[in-house]
Amino acid sequence: MPYPFTAIVGMDDMRLGLLLNAISPSIGGVLVRGEKGSAKSTAVRGVAALMPAIDVVTGCRFSCDPAAPDAECPDGPHGAGPAGTRPARVVELPVGASEDRLVGALDIERALSDGVKSFEPGLLADAHRGVLYVDEVNLLHDHLVDLLLDAAAMGASYVEREGVSVRHASRFLLVGTMNPEEGELRPQLLDRFGLTVEVAASRETDERVEVVRRRLAYDEDPAAFAAKWAAEEDALRERIAAARALLPDVRLGDGALRRIAAVCAGFEVDGMRADIVTARTATALAAWAGRTDVTTEDVRRAALLSLPHRRRRNPFDAPGLDEDKLDEILRQFEDEDEEPDPEPEGPEGPEGPEGGPEDGGPDNGPDGGGQPPQDVPPQRQEESAPQNSPAPQEGSAPAAEPAPGGSDAAPEAPAVAAAEPFRTRRFDVPGLGEGADGRRSRALTAHGRTTGARRPRGALSRLHLAATMQAAAPHQRARGRSGPGLVIRRDDLREAVREGREGNLVLFVVDASGSMAARKRMGAVKGAVLSLLLDAYQRRDKIGMITFRGAEAEVALPPTSSVEAGAARLEKLPTGGRTPLAAGLLQAHEVLRVERMRDPSRRPLLVVVTDGRATGGSEPLPRAQRAAGLLAAGGTASVVVDCESGPVRLGLAAELGRTLGGPVVTLDELRADNVSALVKTVRNSNSRRAA
């Protein structure tokens, strides 16, 4: 029994976004971004219980509507037969799902030998006319997200394998949830979600107490708790049905359209999808309020839901919208002739969709209304860097390390802003991997160019037709072939071996010691690491970061898919003190050892950013060389970014690179437009090490 939707405390924007999609599924779904434990999954399951039951053709696996059956339904054609009724489903797509599980699978053997389209429906068929819920959508493989969003946009799913094609209707309310700390979605995928909302647990004591009280009551007796909220659930269910019925009568006048176009143009969103989604959302808001005219306030609230995730200009920008700018754009239309905006008056009473619950509880009413999001994370700026810190004077000496006899407890220099990022050359891991799909190193993947064939490993999903026919041809006489077609047996089937690219674990080991503390130098170093982080984002890598300074090394960021978290940690990185290079390399060895056990198929790439100096303790340089040899012996692919500058160079970073067995590049050589054939250098260096 799902937790009642009306019993959720707070979370007004999330509830409103879900309800608007329940009223008008053409909005395109909603992406819920927020921290763990903020009722995202609970709300999704609760809203499905409010959706009206649907009529279905009895025996149809694709939930065809008996009043308008799908003419191309694989189970059709449907005649005038008995109809059934069932509740709307909530279908959950697990992160580890395969493509066949999502879109369905064809029986290739029967298709080739008997010419029969034997199709096993997938989750897209199960979700038709219901809710498709994708938890942690940002961790889903990109090609699955593409298939999912294509089906949501077209209202149909297509499965095409080796000339065999199946199509079925697939219209559903798409809901994705994600924790931004675990990585962002690509901007192209973000744009395919109609709305986005930000959620966070309340910091108000009374509200948190009420959340715990209701949850404990539900866990103790779910049936009794649901009965207590049954009246509110029924009222909200009726209001959703009334808004659905009113929706076709809502008028979107030229004035509202001009406001929508002006807002989308003012925020410089790409394409026209934003305008269309905002118009549909504003129309649903009017129907939700029981009106047939779209008002300026409807446009404003629709923009706050449909535009924030379309404002990202680089991977490290958080979604957000400047409400002052939004109001300024809308004020330009105040002098135009238009009917005055009526007071919203919905079925719940004169307060309309913003009214609170009758009992005055902290949940702000069962309608999911409330004010537009007020706590949208700001755009990434440079405010974390001290703006008033004096810049180093020309000719002044850089920050020096403590004297050899000094303490390892280093004075901490303030964080320095990173220089402007740039496009870097591609570094990859030599050899052929089998990791998750990405864009860095060569690997055997589910998608890519076909390089060979092999016997299937499990269920056949990628048929190699020529190899299958070649395997079956010698046995045709023995199998009694008499017709024009080949007699195919399961042992003849061959699957395609495809080569594409994988994502890797890029582990940064960053020198934050006193030798790097000169402001101009550290700003350039941070800019280089930020550029490499951007490259890792674009190539679908996991990243981790280790920093070393003073007396020890620290795992500043454990391996994660959130490149944004890496950029945030880098911005606040302090510098100063000794250079425990050996500690940083040994910490990297330990992190990679643990990650190999957790994810053995994801190959690592170590990026060491240092000038190669090592101080502190006895024999710091020999200890650093031994630590580097330990990494090289484990087969870790590596790159050393040499940060040494000035007329006198010691060449310590180059020596470290030789021990690690990887290439050494300077900050200038890191730029894509300054280096030719750097990838070849990486491969050749690692090939010499392997030899």
Side-chain angles (χ1 to χ4, degrees):
M1 180 175 295
Y3 188 91
F5 187 81
T6 52
I8 296 173
V9 178
M11 307 297 173
D12 296 337
D13 297 317
M14 175 176 66
R15 295 191 297 163
L16 180 60
L18 292 170
L19 290 171
L20 291 176
N21 273 274
I23 294 167
S24 177
S26 63
I27 288 173
V30 59
L31 176 65
V32 183
R33 298 164 41 90
E35 59 194 26
K36 51 187 177 293
S38 50
K40 301 188 296 292
S41 303
T42 299
V44 174
R45 296 185 181 97
V47 77
L50 299 173
M51 297 177 69
I54 60 173
D55 295 330
V56 296
V57 174
T58 302
C60 177
R61 297 174 297 167
F62 301 87
S63 304
C64 278
D65 185 351
D70 182 8
E72 300 182 57
C73 176
D75 285 354
H78 299 300
T85 302
R86 65 163 178 80
R89 293 173 179 157
V90 178
V91 177
E92 297 191 32
L93 174 61
V95 170
S98 65
E99 182 177 335
D100 286 347
R101 184 71 186 97
L102 177 64
V103 301
L106 288 167
D107 188 332
I108 300 295
E109 182 180 4
R110 292 193 64 192
L112 290 176
S113 59
D114 303 331
V116 176
K117 294 182 182 179
S118 178
F119 181 69
E120 184 65 29
L123 295 177
L124 291 179
D126 294 340
H128 181 43
R129 304 173 68 196
V131 178
L132 182 60
Y133 173 47
V134 189
D135 194 15
E136 306 296 352
V137 65
N138 51 327
L139 302 182
L140 199 64
H141 286 304
D142 285 346
H143 73 281
L144 293 183
V145 178
D146 287 331
L147 290 171
L148 177 66
L149 296 177
D150 283 343
M154 296 186 295
S157 174
Y158 295 85
V159 182
E160 298 189 10
R161 301 276 176 81
E162 306 299 338
V164 181
S165 178
V166 173
R167 174 218 169 269
H168 64 83
S170 184
R171 292 182 295 276
F172 46 81
L173 166 57
L174 175 63
V175 182
T177 60
M178 58 175 282
N179 182 350
E181 293 178 357
E182 296 172 340
E184 286 284 358
L185 278 172
R186 287 183 287 150
Q188 298 92 328
L189 300 181
L190 275 174
D191 184 59
R192 299 294 291 273
F193 280 94
L195 311 179
T196 186
V197 294
E198 297 276 345
V199 296
S202 173
R203 300 299 185 258
E204 296 292 331
T205 301
D206 292 342
E207 197 164 292
R208 295 176 74 95
V209 167
E210 185 64 19
V211 170
V212 175
R213 181 181 292 119
R214 294 185 186 184
R215 186 71 209 191
L216 292 177
Y218 172 78
D219 291 340
E220 183 178 348
D221 191 344
F225 187 83
K228 177 182 177 181
W229 290 89
E232 286 83 353
E233 291 281 288
D234 289 341
L236 185 54
R237 189 177 291 109
E238 292 175 2
R239 185 174 177 186
I240 292 173
R244 278 188 165 190
L246 182 62
L247 186 64
D249 299 327
V250 175
R251 183 177 64 88
L252 186 66
D254 288 343
L257 280 173
R258 289 177 58 81
R259 286 166 173 76
I260 291 169
V263 167
C264 294
F267 283 103
E268 300 179 349
V269 296
D270 296 329
M272 296 299 299
R273 184 177 285 117
D275 303 63
I276 295 170
V277 171
T278 304
R280 289 171 174 168
T281 306
T283 304
L285 280 165
W288 177 239
R291 291 183 272 101
T292 56
D293 287 305
V294 174
T295 67
T296 300
E297 181 60 23
D298 292 332
V299 173
R300 183 182 189 278
R301 297 182 73 186
L304 288 169
L305 292 170
S306 63
L307 298 186
H309 58 304
R310 296 182 167 92
R311 284 282 300 140
R312 292 183 69 196
R313 282 295 177 262
N314 70 66
F316 306 133
D317 287 342
L321 203 67
D322 185 342
E323 293 190 38
D324 291 337
K325 181 177 180 180
L326 174 62
D327 292 334
E328 181 182 347
I329 294 173
L330 292 175
R331 275 196 297 269
Q332 298 173 5
F333 295 87
E334 288 180 352
D335 297 333
E336 293 188 2
D337 290 334
E338 62 175 357
E339 296 179 7
D341 294 346
E343 290 293 325
E345 189 167 330
E348 299 262 330
E351 290 186 346
E354 307 252 345
E358 294 181 0
D359 60 1
D363 64 323
N364 296 327
D367 55 7
Q371 298 299 319
Q374 301 293 329
D375 56 350
V376 176
Q379 300 287 328
R380 178 183 174 272
Q381 299 175 353
E382 298 294 337
E383 68 270 20
S384 61
Q387 300 298 320
N388 299 320
S389 300
Q393 298 298 320
E394 185 175 352
S396 62
E401 296 192 2
S407 170
D408 282 337
E412 185 174 293
V416 178
E420 197 67 25
F422 51 86
R423 187 170 66 91
T424 66
R425 300 293 302 199
R426 189 186 81 225
F427 299 91
D428 60 5
V429 179
L432 194 64
E434 295 188 18
D437 287 350
R439 294 184 176 180
R440 184 173 295 279
S441 304
R442 292 176 56 227
L444 297 177
T445 60
H447 300 83
R449 61 186 180 91
T450 300
T451 59
R454 66 186 178 192
R455 291 183 180 274
R457 299 177 179 178
L460 177 66
S461 59
R462 304 183 303 272
L463 177 71
H464 194 297
L465 184 58
T468 298
M469 296 176 65
Q470 187 176 6
H475 309 290
Q476 296 306 296
R477 181 175 297 178
R479 293 173 182 174
R481 172 187 171 186
S482 58
L486 287 175
V487 180
I488 304 292
R489 298 287 185 261
R490 182 165 296 276
D491 289 343
D492 302 328
L493 298 178
R494 298 292 183 270
E495 68 178 5
V497 176
R498 294 176 179 168
E499 182 179 317
R501 292 198 174 271
E502 66 180 357
N504 298 107
L505 167 61
V506 181
L507 182 62
F508 294 91
V509 181
V510 182
D511 186 346
S513 64
S515 65
M516 306 283 287
R519 294 181 61 84
K520 289 183 179 179
R521 187 177 178 189
M522 197 60 199
V525 169
K526 283 189 174 183
V529 178
L530 191 64
S531 303
L532 290 166
L533 284 170
L534 179 59
D535 181 70
Y537 169 85
Q538 293 169 339
R539 301 191 187 282
R540 316 288 185 262
D541 295 316
K542 288 181 68 174
I543 61 112
M545 186 180 299
I546 295 170
T547 62
F548 57 94
R549 59 180 293 272
E552 61 185 12
E554 175 189 5
V555 181
L557 182 69
T560 175
S561 297
S562 178
V563 178
E564 298 80 5
R569 302 290 172 87
L570 181 69
E571 262 190 312
K572 300 176 182 178
L573 178 65
T575 58
R578 295 186 182 276
T579 312
L581 177 57
L585 296 175
L586 290 173
Q587 185 69 71
H589 181 271
E590 177 61 18
V591 169
L592 294 178
R593 183 187 68 82
V594 174
E595 283 302 306
R596 283 191 182 101
M597 292 188 293
R598 290 178 177 171
D599 190 357
S601 65
R602 189 179 289 270
R603 298 185 295 163
L605 175 64
L606 183 69
V607 180
V608 184
V609 185
T610 181
D611 57 9
R613 299 183 184 183
T615 59
S618 61
E619 299 183 332
L621 280 174
R623 284 192 294 111
Q625 290 294 326
R626 288 195 294 271
L630 184 64
L631 286 162
T636 302
S638 61
V639 177
V640 176
V641 180
D642 184 0
C643 303
E644 193 172 30
S645 60
V648 179
R649 296 174 181 263
L650 301 179
L652 297 175
E655 186 177 346
L656 176 65
R658 284 192 293 270
T659 305
L660 286 169
V664 180
V665 296
T666 65
L667 291 176
D668 289 336
E669 292 171 339
L670 190 62
R671 295 178 179 269
D673 51 0
N674 285 358
V675 181
S676 62
L678 184 55
V679 176
K680 184 183 295 185
T681 303
V682 180
R683 292 173 176 167
N684 289 344
S685 297
N686 285 285
S687 298
R688 287 195 299 270
R689 181 189 63 195

